Amino acid sequence: MKVLRVSDQLATNVDRLMTPARKGLLGRLRRGIEKEGLRVDGEGRIVPTPHPYALGSKLTHPHITTDYSEALLEYITPVYCRPADALAFLGDLLRFSYRHLGEEWVWPASMPSRLAGNESIPIADYGTSNVGTMKHVYRKGLDLRYGRIMQSIAGIHYNVSLPEDIWPLLQSLEGREAESPKGYRSARYFDLIRNFRRNSWLLLYLFGASPALDRSFLGAAGLDGRCDKLKPWQGDGETLYAPYATSLRMSDLGYQNKVQSQLKICFNSLSNYVGTLRHAISTEWPDYQRMGVEEGGEWHQLSASILQIENEYYSDIRPKRVARHDETPTQALEARGVEYIEVRCLDLNPFLPLGIDEPQMRFIDTFLLWCLLSESPWIPDEECDRLDDNRRLVVERGRDPALRLQVGERQVALAERGHEIIAGMRQVAALLDAIEGSDLHLAAVDSLATRLDDPESTPSARMLRELQAHGGEWADFMTGLARRQAEAWRTTPMDAARASLFDELVETSHQQQHDIEAEDQVSFAQFIADYFARAREPRPAA
């Protein structure tokens, strides 16, 4: 049996942290979940109806909003130390929603339901306030630049912050006390992010669940007949698939932006990240200039820059900090450092009622801490290109036995490299279990690692296997699953205290939106001019 080597730095870090973990001197990770899902009708088509008033204001509600489309629900949990608590809250958000969705269902898959062209995806409307208008115009700009089809894709965003007490311990162990605590924490979060970028293909393989889609997706995007990556599922039917694909959502059929690719953000430092994004929102792009920004009071996009705002930059992971009312996301990072990270490469698993479950959360937690505690040199441009190639190969052919990844100077089978990572993750799982007094992290790692040697056990393979058993089209299969999940959510009770909270938030969120609209004192044009004037200013730490 081959002995897998755990890096010296990882082993040293885990060993040094194990004693304080066993003594109860290390806190738990904190995490929150954002889950997206399209509202559809009984035939699996996106509904044209507005966001239900009974769910509250999508502008101000802290837990129920919309993403790009009026039909694309987004559920946001509070931050919890226990995965089960986040999942319980998310479940009650679904139960509450189904009290008010009538005959509509929440689509369980990442790739969208049946589409009837670009216009079948209604852009979200956030009211008449300047901030609400800005959110709407931003989405109009996304339509102008990329079309609405890409914006109809759904997923899970997983937000994680490491225990605050781990940072001074690591800083002391590494002999870096001369650095400011804020600067050290941000630098180490960027270490984590670089290792994530090197190895996020593992999450795409293990959790990707979108190997098939409805043909209308390509037709609406203007790609029908011009995509050689997909095959018809059966004859001239409406389902297309890639035999070995894991996550078409993360392929160039999904989130992509060729203009953004020139930014070359490989997350080597906070200053590089902030500076690159600030350059992108300040530098106009000729194609976007030709599209126009505003004409006769009609706004087409927020600006003609490479990015309208920082959130337009697509990435599988982001450094984050909660911004104050007068800050952009990068200004918040610049002023007070990284607070948490947002994992953005996770498909909805249609076979899980919430799209994610506790073992997956614990595996991701372990993976992220492994990324932090392992060596993480800076990424040069040529390595950045190789990492993009690895991710592309896994999303398109992840279950292909012939697939090889480029890891440093060697070509290696996906399963072999995956087991090397898992060997290190097991040590990190033991550390997390010592913090919690359980064996749940190690159990999650061991359970999900079996998918490396059995590609048929992955969600993407299960999708194709159950689609075969269904015997019909993918959209019909997903529609039936949406119906069964809706019935389950409608018939299970929710926590009484949370039910009262959600009822209260409906009223308060509508009142908050009304107050915001009544308080506006300047025109939208002036509001946007003031916003971009502030956004281009550096915000160094006090």
Side-chain angles (χ1 to χ4, degrees):
M1 180 177 179
K2 182 177 179 181
V3 177
L4 299 178
R5 175 179 173 272
V6 177
S7 75
D8 293 339
Q9 178 172 320
L10 174 66
T12 299
N13 281 332
V14 170
D15 184 61
R16 288 173 169 176
L17 292 172
M18 188 61 78
T19 297
R22 287 172 174 157
K23 290 181 178 179
L25 301 178
L26 283 180
R28 298 187 178 197
L29 279 69
R30 292 162 55 82
R31 77 276 290 163
I33 303 170
E34 301 172 24
K35 178 189 183 297
E36 300 164 340
L38 286 164
R39 290 185 293 118
V40 301
D41 63 19
E43 296 183 353
R45 300 186 184 279
I46 296 176
V47 297
T49 54
H51 182 74
Y53 184 91
L55 295 185
S57 164
K58 53 188 174 292
L59 179 67
T60 55
H61 198 294
H63 304 301
I64 305 176
T65 181
T66 57
D67 194 82
Y68 176 81
S69 173
E70 196 74 8
L72 185 54
L73 288 166
E74 182 174 6
Y75 298 107
I76 305 167
T77 75
V79 176
Y80 287 104
C81 289
R82 298 198 315 161
D85 292 338
L87 292 170
F89 192 98
L90 182 58
D92 278 345
L93 287 174
L94 266 293
R95 294 182 183 94
F96 179 80
S97 296
Y98 272 115
R99 292 182 175 183
H100 306 289
L101 288 181
E103 296 305 311
E104 297 174 358
W105 304 329
V106 179
W107 190 248
S110 281
M111 299 308 286
S113 53
R114 292 185 171 100
L115 304 174
N118 197 62
E119 300 303 313
S120 68
I121 303 167
I123 298 176
D125 183 345
Y126 293 89
T128 61
S129 68
N130 283 330
V131 66
T133 302
M134 181 178 179
K135 292 168 75 72
H136 181 71
V137 172
Y138 166 61
R139 285 157 174 76
K140 289 178 67 176
L142 296 178
D143 178 22
L144 197 66
R145 296 173 177 212
Y146 323 116
R148 303 182 191 181
I149 305 308
M150 184 174 77
Q151 314 300 328
S152 67
I153 299 170
I156 294 279
H157 294 172
Y158 189 62
N159 301 304
V160 179
S161 62
L162 279 298
E164 280 303 309
D165 41 24
I166 200 173
W167 303 117
L169 268 173
L170 283 175
Q171 190 169 8
S172 175
L173 292 171
E174 294 169 9
R176 295 170 61 175
E177 294 92 340
E179 299 177 38
S180 72
K182 174 184 74 69
Y184 173 80
R185 184 184 65 238
S186 293
R188 296 295 276 118
Y189 264 122
F190 271 82
D191 291 344
L192 182 161
I193 290 170
R194 286 195 302 277
N195 271 338
F196 183 96
R197 296 279 292 166
R198 289 183 171 100
N199 300 287
S200 60
W201 58 263
L202 179 62
L203 303 185
L204 298 172
Y205 172 82
L206 293 174
F207 305 122
S210 53
L213 50 78
D214 189 79
R215 187 186 295 272
S216 65
F217 179 86
L218 295 189
L223 297 172
D224 205 6
R226 296 192 290 113
C227 181
D228 58 3
K229 297 176 182 177
L230 301 180
K231 299 179 178 181
W233 176 251
Q234 50 185 6
D236 296 324
E238 296 305 309
T239 301
L240 300 173
Y241 80 112
Y244 293 117
T246 60
S247 177
L248 294 178
R249 167 182 174 264
M250 295 299 294
S251 74
D252 59 7
L253 294 175
Y255 295 118
Q256 58 167 317
N257 185 325
K258 292 182 174 61
V259 175
Q260 290 185 23
S261 63
Q262 67 165 333
L263 297 176
K264 289 295 182 186
I265 299 178
C266 275
F267 301 93
N268 283 328
S269 69
L270 175 59
S271 61
N272 169 262
Y273 178 77
V274 169
T276 306
L277 288 185
R278 186 166 290 144
H279 168 78
I281 65 171
S282 305
T283 304
E284 293 192 333
W285 188 254
D287 288 346
Y288 300 157
Q289 287 177 310
R290 286 189 285 271
M291 293 172 178
V293 174
E294 181 268 341
E295 184 177 0
E298 176 68 19
W299 286 77
H300 308 300
Q301 53 184 338
L302 293 176
S303 76
S305 297
I306 296 171
L307 303 177
Q308 299 174 87
I309 57 176
E310 296 147 2
N311 285 347
E312 190 174 337
Y313 174 66
Y314 298 112
S315 175
D316 54 4
I317 189 169
R318 284 179 182 167
K320 300 290 288 285
R321 171 166 284 278
V322 176
R324 296 169 180 167
H325 76 280
D326 61 342
E327 293 177 322
T328 68
T330 55
Q331 286 173 331
L333 288 172
E334 193 175 33
R336 298 184 303 285
V338 182
E339 182 179 13
Y340 65 98
I341 51 96
E342 178 186 35
V343 175
R344 300 170 54 82
C345 63
L346 303 174
D347 284 358
L348 295 170
N349 185 336
F351 305 111
L352 299 175
L354 293 172
I356 188 172
D357 63 7
E358 186 169 340
Q360 181 177 347
M361 294 172 69
R362 291 187 180 276
F363 184 98
I364 296 169
D365 293 343
T366 307
F367 178 76
L368 293 173
L369 190 55
W370 172 82
C371 288
L372 175 75
L373 298 180
S374 302
E375 296 95 337
S376 184
W378 281 26
I379 300 176
D381 286 348
E382 59 270 19
E383 184 185 0
C384 205
D385 293 337
R386 290 200 303 270
L387 301 184
D388 290 340
D389 289 341
N390 282 346
R391 283 189 293 274
R392 176 183 55 80
L393 288 170
V394 172
V395 299
E396 294 177 1
R397 303 173 39 219
R399 288 178 286 107
D400 185 347
L403 178 65
R404 294 293 182 271
L405 303 177
Q406 187 71 37
V407 180
E409 300 302 316
R410 62 189 179 120
Q411 290 256 323
V412 60
L414 181 149
E416 180 181 348
R417 177 56 186 154
H419 281 301
E420 291 173 355
I421 295 172
I422 293 297
M425 287 181 59
R426 285 194 175 98
Q427 296 215 2
V428 175
L431 175 63
L432 287 170
D433 285 339
I435 293 172
E436 295 194 2
S438 75
D439 61 357
L440 295 176
H441 290 91
L442 189 56
V445 170
D446 285 341
S447 173
L448 292 166
T450 61
R451 294 179 181 178
L452 289 169
D453 298 314
D454 182 15
E456 285 301 304
S457 65
T458 61
S460 56
R462 180 181 177 185
M463 173 68 73
L464 298 182
R465 189 169 60 251
E466 297 211 10
L467 182 57
Q468 181 70 43
H470 174 264
E473 301 289 356
W474 175 81
D476 293 327
F477 177 45
M478 286 295 103
T479 301
L481 195 56
R483 182 186 66 250
R484 293 192 295 275
Q485 290 180 358
E487 291 171 352
W489 289 123
R490 285 182 172 129
T491 55
T492 55
M494 64 184 300
D495 180 86
R498 272 199 286 263
S500 297
L501 170 66
F502 296 161
D503 285 334
E504 181 181 337
L505 286 174
V506 170
E507 298 305 319
T508 57
S509 65
H510 283 302
Q511 184 60 51
Q512 287 169 344
Q513 177 174 335
H514 175 78
D515 293 343
I516 292 170
E517 291 171 345
E519 291 169 1
D520 279 343
Q521 300 294 320
V522 300
S523 68
F524 181 66
Q526 185 61 54
F527 175 82
I528 291 299
D530 293 343
Y531 173 85
F532 283 115
R534 293 195 310 271
R536 297 183 179 102
E537 297 173 354
R539 294 286 181 92

